[in-house]
Amino acid sequence: VLDFPPGPTFAWLATGSEPWPEETSSTISREFAEGRHPLFRYRCGSVKIGETITAELQPGGAALKRTLAIGTRKISDNGVLYVRLATGRAIELLERMGDQRTFRVVGEREALVRVTSSEASIVNGPLVQELRVPIDMAPNFHGDFGGLEVHYSW
């Protein structure tokens, strides 16, 4: 079992190191996508976000793939939209490969988190460290306004 961080998943922050707010994003629906994969829809301000979670079988154990897609563009004077991917007693960067970063997260369990973002960062909180990533809000060729792919293994 893998637990995601408590509290909101997404937040608008003026800087990537400011304290994570207790309330910002809200889940507006839970449903199943094709293939019976969970599909979550969130709202953070006026930005709509879709998330699918799929199980992956790989040598050495279980894994989850988390795909985030931004459905609307918001230009904000309130900072940058961030996602908090993990929290733990210790988080360390293990590998950089192109745009991918792999982190070890030590909490109740140890997990590896691989993210397709060169801007992923470790932030020291008062009790735990956090793995945060700013969401790219530039439109892509699909007409979406950003996204992120994250792999968790343990």
Side-chain angles (χ1 to χ4, degrees):
V1 175
L2 179 68
D3 294 323
F4 292 129
T9 304
F10 303 93
W12 288 98
L13 302 176
T15 68
S17 61
E18 75 179 80
W20 197 259
E22 292 184 27
E23 293 183 22
T24 59
S25 58
S26 61
T27 305
I28 54 177
S29 73
R30 295 178 180 103
E31 52 198 77
F32 288 98
E34 280 187 43
R36 303 288 301 157
H37 302 295
L39 171 62
F40 299 92
R41 297 188 191 279
Y42 303 92
R43 181 180 297 278
C44 187
S46 66
V47 173
K48 295 178 184 174
I49 302 145
E51 174 183 29
T52 57
I53 299 174
T54 54
E56 295 183 326
L57 295 177
Q58 62 182 27
L64 286 178
K65 180 171 107 177
R66 192 175 181 190
T67 305
L68 304 170
I70 307 303
T72 56
R73 183 176 183 153
K74 163 103 167 110
I75 298 173
S76 173
D77 295 332
N78 299 327
V80 175
L81 183 63
Y82 280 83
V83 58
R84 184 170 58 166
L85 299 176
T87 58
R89 289 188 307 275
I91 300 176
E92 82 178 287
L93 176 63
L94 295 179
E95 181 179 54
R96 296 173 201 249
M97 185 177 294
D99 259 2
Q100 289 191 359
R101 301 291 182 264
T102 302
F103 297 86
R104 176 183 293 126
V105 179
V106 179
E108 288 186 33
R109 296 171 192 80
E110 185 172 310
L112 295 179
V113 180
R114 188 177 79 239
V115 60
T116 54
S117 173
S118 60
E119 297 184 51
S121 62
I122 300 165
V123 177
N124 293 316
L127 301 174
V128 296
Q129 290 187 309
E130 301 178 347
L131 178 56
R132 298 180 184 179
V133 178
I135 301 292
D136 180 6
M137 299 296 284
N140 65 23
F141 62 92
H142 294 297
D144 293 326
F145 291 100
L148 191 65
E149 191 172 280
V150 186
H151 297 262
Y152 296 86
S153 57
W154 61 98

